[in-house]
Amino acid sequence: MVREVPLLQARGLCRRYGAITAIDGVDVSVYRGEVLGIVGESGSGKSTVLRLLNLEEPADAGTYYLDLPGYADQNLFTMDRYYRRQIQIRHIGIVYQNPYLGLRMRHTSSGNVAERLIMAGERNFATLRQAARGALSASEFPLERMDDLPIRLSGGMQQRVQLARALALRPMLLLLDEPTTGLDVSVQALVLDTLARIQRELQIATVIVSHDLGVIRALADRVMVMRHGRVIEHGLTDQILEDPQEAYTQQLVYAKL
Ligand SMILES: Nc1ncnc2c1ncn2[C@@H]1O[C@H](COP(=O)(O)OP(=O)(O)OP(=O)(O)O)[C@@H](O)[C@H]1O
């Protein structure tokens, strides 16, 4: 029997900041086309997991494999910095809660998207412009605003620019860190619709961190519950949200009802 290999396989992730152990022995796997949700209280280590998966920071321990041609057998944490950067640019997209982390506020919105392609070596102005327009349109960004600075846009529009930038190079892995937190409920619903549609169309492997179980329910196939830097419960979204086993997860779920 042929078994599908997960796109992402990370084992035993650990990260310390001085005396603080942010995460300790976290395993993550995600298949192509699958959405993994990570929930947990503030400070439980959710964003740290995403930063490690985005190769933004080194892990203190653990292994990280992406099933990419030519790289499948390489632990990304021990790879040369140049190749790590190439993988980050070409194969991983990220959307942060805070648009200031994900966007350059002094570049136009189209420039923010084009920058991603420039990083990958594209130099032709017409191609860059066309690709930026395509990515912004796919993210349902109003194209008449594509030459505005992000600072002049609404929160929902800024998240759409981040999404377009993240997806401009058609990455294999999409990381979403509280992508709709702080948006109006109606805007949040529209951005979630866009995320769900793109996810379906591109069949991209996605990890979403959110404290909002409504967001997790709308997008995630599987859920990992984190507490004090460890995974305490893990399963299909319906199973975790309808029938949580751990007392902490029960608290998390019932507090939201
Ligand atoms: N750069 C850093 N320096 C020192 N401590 C950090 C740093 N980044 C994270 N931490 C600590 O690591 C722990 C986990 O933080 P992390 O941001 O991953 O949690 P989180 O679950 O994403 O929280 P939130 O939901 O509030 O964003 C916290 O105790 C946090 O203070």
Side-chain angles (χ1 to χ4, degrees):
M1 191 175 85
V2 180
R3 279 204 66 195
E4 194 195 345
V5 178
L7 174 83
L8 182 169
Q9 265 185 301
R11 295 258 178 277
L13 300 182
C14 294
R15 177 69 175 149
R16 286 181 288 277
Y17 300 101
I20 296 171
T21 299
I23 57 170
D24 187 13
V26 172
D27 296 339
V28 186
S29 65
V30 193
Y31 288 84
R32 291 172 175 79
E34 188 186 38
V35 182
L36 173 71
I38 306 182
V39 299
E41 66 196 353
S42 183
S44 56
K46 307 181 298 293
S47 298
T48 304
V49 171
L50 279 203
R51 286 196 297 276
L52 261 50
L53 296 180
N54 192 38
L55 298 168
E56 275 173 52
E57 290 185 14
D60 290 309
T63 57
Y64 180 16
Y65 295 93
L66 287 180
D67 185 36
L68 301 171
Y71 292 106
D73 298 332
Q74 310 244 23
N75 175 6
L76 302 185
F77 289 141
T78 57
M79 263 174 96
D80 185 86
R81 205 172 139 195
Y82 169 81
Y83 292 107
R84 276 210 312 269
R85 181 84 181 121
Q86 290 304 310
I87 287 174
Q88 189 192 37
I89 291 169
R90 289 173 186 277
H91 300 298
I92 306 176
I94 188 161
V95 174
Y96 299 94
Q97 175 185 349
N98 180 351
Y100 279 82
L101 283 180
L103 297 175
R104 292 181 194 276
M105 293 295 166
R106 291 173 186 281
H107 290 191
T108 61
S109 300
S110 54
N112 266 281
V113 180
E115 188 191 21
R116 193 84 186 169
L117 295 126
I118 294 169
M119 285 178 186
E122 182 57 60
R123 292 288 179 268
N124 181 283
F125 179 80
T127 308
L128 288 169
R129 182 94 185 145
Q130 188 61 27
R133 175 179 277 275
L136 284 163
S137 166
S139 299
E140 293 162 32
F141 178 85
L143 291 179
E144 67 278 11
R145 306 289 301 270
M146 70 187 269
D147 293 322
D148 282 10
L149 300 180
I151 203 156
R152 308 234 180 279
L153 302 174
S154 69
M157 286 184 212
Q158 289 173 342
Q159 294 313 69
R160 290 180 190 282
V161 179
Q162 279 207 74
L163 188 60
R165 180 181 160 95
L167 295 174
L169 287 167
R170 291 292 183 105
M172 304 297 284
L173 175 64
L174 178 63
L175 305 174
L176 305 168
D177 195 354
E178 303 273 8
T180 58
T181 303
L183 301 178
D184 268 10
V185 176
S186 57
V187 177
Q188 183 180 69
L190 292 172
V191 174
L192 278 178
D193 279 352
T194 305
L195 283 170
R197 180 186 55 74
I198 286 176
Q199 165 62 30
R200 263 197 318 276
E201 284 175 11
L202 299 185
Q203 285 293 295
I204 203 166
T206 301
V207 183
I208 178 166
V209 162
S210 181
H211 72 276
D212 185 335
L213 297 183
V215 170
I216 295 294
R217 190 188 291 277
L219 288 182
D221 301 300
R222 266 189 305 130
V223 182
M224 255 168 52
V225 183
M226 290 190 66
R227 189 177 195 205
H228 301 326
R230 293 172 177 269
V231 177
I232 60 156
E233 193 163 359
H234 174 210
L236 296 175
T237 304
D238 287 348
Q239 173 198 329
I240 298 283
L241 297 187
E242 303 303 330
D243 186 22
Q245 298 299 305
E246 293 290 324
Y248 172 73
T249 316
Q250 290 169 357
Q251 237 178 0
L252 210 66
V253 171
Y254 300 138
K256 301 281 176 192
L257 294 178

